[in-house]
Amino acid sequence: CEDIALVKMWLLRAAGVPQDAMQLVLARDARRQLDHAFLSVQTESGVLVLDNLTDEIEPERLAARRYQPMVSLGTAGTWIHGYRGRQG
């Protein structure tokens, strides 16, 4: 999934999308209980998620139901996302 997200980033960059509008996101897929990667793209209408597990381009708010971001990588920087885990 990382390779596919990087290829999408490269193709969008070649099509004229600014590099700083895109981020590679490494996340936890809550449905499958697996780590996953996808491309996040900032547009005028909001952040869109390009995920190789679906043909749909989803708004970030919909993808947030399924994925918990861990790390985001882009030209503007790298972010480590924090979230509360289960306490027991």
Side-chain angles (χ1 to χ4, degrees):
C1 54
E2 298 92 351
D3 293 343
I4 293 169
L6 289 170
V7 168
K8 288 178 183 181
M9 184 183 284
W10 181 80
L11 291 170
L12 287 173
R13 180 67 188 117
V17 175
Q19 184 76 28
D20 61 352
M22 298 182 277
Q23 294 180 4
L24 174 65
V25 180
L26 306 176
R28 182 73 177 168
D29 182 333
R31 291 182 186 166
R32 299 182 307 142
Q33 294 300 308
L34 296 171
D35 294 336
H36 185 56
F38 57 84
L39 183 62
S40 172
V41 182
Q42 177 68 48
T43 69
E44 291 178 4
S45 60
V47 179
L48 300 176
V49 170
L50 284 70
D51 185 352
N52 70 303
L53 296 179
T54 180
D55 292 336
E56 302 294 322
I57 297 175
E58 295 182 316
E60 183 181 47
R61 62 180 166 71
L62 293 179
R65 296 178 187 167
R66 183 170 57 250
Y67 297 120
Q68 176 62 53
M70 296 182 293
V71 177
S72 298
L73 308 154
T75 58
T78 300
W79 295 267
I80 298 175
H81 303 270
Y83 63 97
R84 293 181 187 205
R86 286 189 254 170
Q87 296 182 9

